[in-house]
DNA sequence: CATGAATGAGAGTTCATTCAT
DNA sequence: TATGAATGAACTCTCATTCAT
């Protein structure tokens, strides 16, 4: 019943094949869904009612279930995008800064990401088998990145302590827990993360 | 909520025994309730169904609501007791160890407590205004204790960094998040907490 | 929200213990529930929405689930009562008529019962494991009754064919399928059942 | 339901081939649909999700709705074909056997057909007005066939009882209810149908 | 004071049906 | 004409919370 945006591009200017149109709509919906989910997760956590997300995206609940049969599918999809961005940031930081500083900056960058995703850590630790894929993504994408940065920093003498990358990432995620989207919360998390980083340096 | 006619005669005119009995019963119930809640919270988190707790305690749900109108009241009551024990431990540690070590040992003691209380941190950060009293208890009992230990350690040159006690306590609580009652989880949390402590030492 | 009948018997005339009152209410509700379910099942089949039954009984859905966690529990309860009555009728018929006629009359009595319970046969054959208890009740209560009547009739030379009682009962139930509560439907079922009975007699 | 502009040029101006192709495709689809529906009905009953049928046939749901706007349309179409085969069988049986035996054999043949169509009887008796056409087909095709066989058998002295053909057919269909595709179920149904046939013979 | 039956809002999930492409 | 994405009504079931006894 919701009025879909009928962009109504004039027929003459339309160049894409008709078959594409359908896909375009679907993709648009999917995007709206991911955006909505991201927003709702940030506000109400990953346990927010499916209906809320559907409404926010302007679609029916059925559509959500069509694209993401499991809640975890949606969660994964939402977070994966940003995790990728986070992973990519490592390259730039490594190129621009010495190992120790690159490590710090990347961890802080990661902190920022996690802090903005209320409920991420909770989902990760929920024990719910549904979030396995998400956890796996952590291990296969983020952890290796941190491992690389750690190794470089240690080689440069900027880090003394041994630490398991996945464990460390989990700890940082946990430190962001409950720190709303407020600046105060952010700062709080950041301070604690810096303490953790300082700990790495200690002999 | 309307006060029903109190059919029972005034306490003064009653023989001591029945009155005692009643009070004793009530206290017993309350204790059973707290024990049950503690156990259930540990197993299923602080969001466990009220009925589960009531059944575990062998009382009706109504009784739970009578004693603890808000869920947070029950949670607070449950945790308060153990917090007190934790606070008390500080004295002994201060007497037995040098400031720096006393600090470490106490924080680890606190870590143990929090790790055993699945959901404590979550509740604390839930944003639900209902948990305010619990947070307050944190500030008024635990935080001053930590502040004292920190001050002593700093005076002894065992700590360099400045840190807000409440913030630090929250961070430690967060680090325990999702670390089930398993030994592995415990160790994981402990390792991260030690890192945090090491961070305090760094110049 | 539904206004419960507040019979409000004057306090002075009330003799039953207060504790009984609660039970009385509960039982009344349970009875209303069974009556409502019976009616709804007859009108809309055993797959009727739970809410419909709850509304008809004037209770909340939760109450239905409290008393009958599984849909099949409710169905069983509803039908059991009438099955018992049906079983009891056998004694009277046996006493009042010669074996062959007693058999006929009882089967017709049973036909009447089943015809009035739209959905009984369907549930029985749904394959849904949930209806097992109901099927079992068939085997343990009705089948033995029919077996007895058949044996007597055969001994008296009024029946020639061998037939498995449970199978026969199922067949009769099936014959009532789709015969609404109309007289026409009833008669239709009855005619076919008589044919079946006639078949028993054939050499 | 509004008629869309028929973009395709008129059939007459098109070359024969493409037109044929289209028709051929459509017919093929229709056939696949009927086959799929038959299979699905047999496995999951006539209430099976439309999508299941569409997938089985390798077409979109829209196609199902195009050919069979009402579910009953599909059901009717599916069963009609087999009913016709059943009707045709009567001729052969009449030619090959004496009236009494022809009757028995045909009824058993019909039993086989119905037993294989789980849900046919249910649909027939569902009360849903949508199945009227199917019921009508029963009356106009099968019932006359049975009537003919019955008349011949009666004329030959092989049947004593009067019985309405449609009613009898319905009864047989009902007896097949809930008898899965298993051999046991089949035999059960057959036994009961034989009893019914024996009843016809009784004086 | 305790009890636990009753209530009913709300969440998840499925599917018939429509309709833009 | 076929497709399948989207819709949303309808259903089941769970629990927090109230309140008569």
């Amino acid at each position: 019943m919701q009025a879909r945006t009928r962009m109504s591009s004039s027929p003459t200017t339309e160049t894409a094949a008709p078959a594409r149109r359908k896909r375009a709509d679907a993709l648009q919906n999917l995007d709206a869904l991911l955006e909505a989910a991201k927003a709702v997760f940030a506000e109400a956590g990953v346990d927010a009612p499916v209906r809320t997300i559907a409404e926010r995206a302007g679609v029916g609940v059925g559509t959500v279930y069509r694209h993401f049969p499991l809640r975890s599918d949606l969660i994964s999809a939402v977070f994966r995008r940003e995790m990728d961005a986070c992973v990519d940031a490592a390259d730039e930081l490594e190129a621009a800064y010495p190992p120790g500083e690159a490590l710090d900056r990347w961890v802080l960058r990661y902190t920022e990401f996690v802090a903005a995703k209320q409920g991420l850590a909770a989902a990760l630790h929920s024990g719910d088998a549904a979030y396995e894929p998400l956890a796996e993504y952590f291990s296969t994408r983020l952890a290796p990145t941190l491992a690389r940065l750690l190794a470089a920093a240690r080689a440069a003498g900027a880090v003394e302590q041994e630490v398991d990358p996945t464990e460390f990432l989990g700890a940082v995620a946990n430190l962001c827990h409950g720190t709303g989207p407020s600046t105060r919360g952010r700062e709080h998390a950041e301070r604690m993360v810096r303490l953790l980083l300082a700990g790495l340096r200690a002999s």
Side-chain angles (χ1 to χ4, degrees), chain A:
Chain A
M1 279 303 150
Q2 76 14 81
R4 223 85 58 66
T5 315
R6 186 97 52 118
M7 297 250 225
S8 164
S9 45
S10 82
T12 55
T13 61
E14 210 168 335
T15 57
R20 297 264 153 199
R21 273 303 288 276
K22 171 89 63 78
R23 185 124 91 225
D25 264 28
L27 283 180
Q28 214 167 301
N29 257 338
L30 211 154
D31 219 62
L33 215 39
L34 286 173
E35 278 308 312
K38 180 176 151 186
V40 171
F41 286 166
E43 285 167 19
V46 290
D47 285 331
V50 172
R51 227 181 232 87
T52 307
I53 298 167
E55 268 160 19
R56 180 82 152 243
V59 304
V61 283
T63 304
V64 180
Y65 280 97
R66 160 176 291 272
H67 289 302
F68 308 97
L70 269 40
R71 172 185 291 268
S72 58
D73 294 335
L74 180 54
I75 295 176
S76 298
V78 166
F79 293 144
R80 239 184 273 251
R81 295 198 303 181
E82 315 220 22
M83 285 195 204
D84 287 338
C86 196
V87 165
D88 293 343
D91 293 333
E92 302 171 25
L93 293 172
E94 271 185 310
Y97 300 95
E101 199 174 340
L103 171 66
D104 285 4
R105 283 178 182 268
W106 186 80
V107 169
L108 256 11
R109 164 73 173 76
Y110 164 75
T111 302
E112 232 174 279
F113 153 59
V114 180
K117 307 298 155 217
Q118 287 316 316
L120 212 196
L124 240 33
H125 285 299
S126 75
D128 207 311
Y131 298 119
E132 283 280 335
L134 190 56
E136 206 185 302
Y137 207 71
F138 244 83
S139 309
T140 58
R141 292 284 283 153
L142 290 173
T145 300
L146 175 58
R148 203 178 68 220
L149 292 165
L150 274 172
R154 195 173 298 112
V159 160
E160 288 282 332
Q161 301 285 322
E162 282 290 338
V163 70
D164 176 65
T166 300
E167 193 170 87
F168 191 84
L169 287 172
V172 172
N174 268 343
L175 286 176
C176 296
H177 209 242
T179 59
S182 72
T183 307
R184 259 186 61 79
R186 249 345 149 43
E187 286 170 357
H188 158 67
E190 201 180 299
R191 264 194 305 276
M192 291 302 107
V193 171
R194 281 186 194 282
L195 219 48
L196 221 50
L197 284 169
L200 281 180
R201 242 137 225 146
S203 52

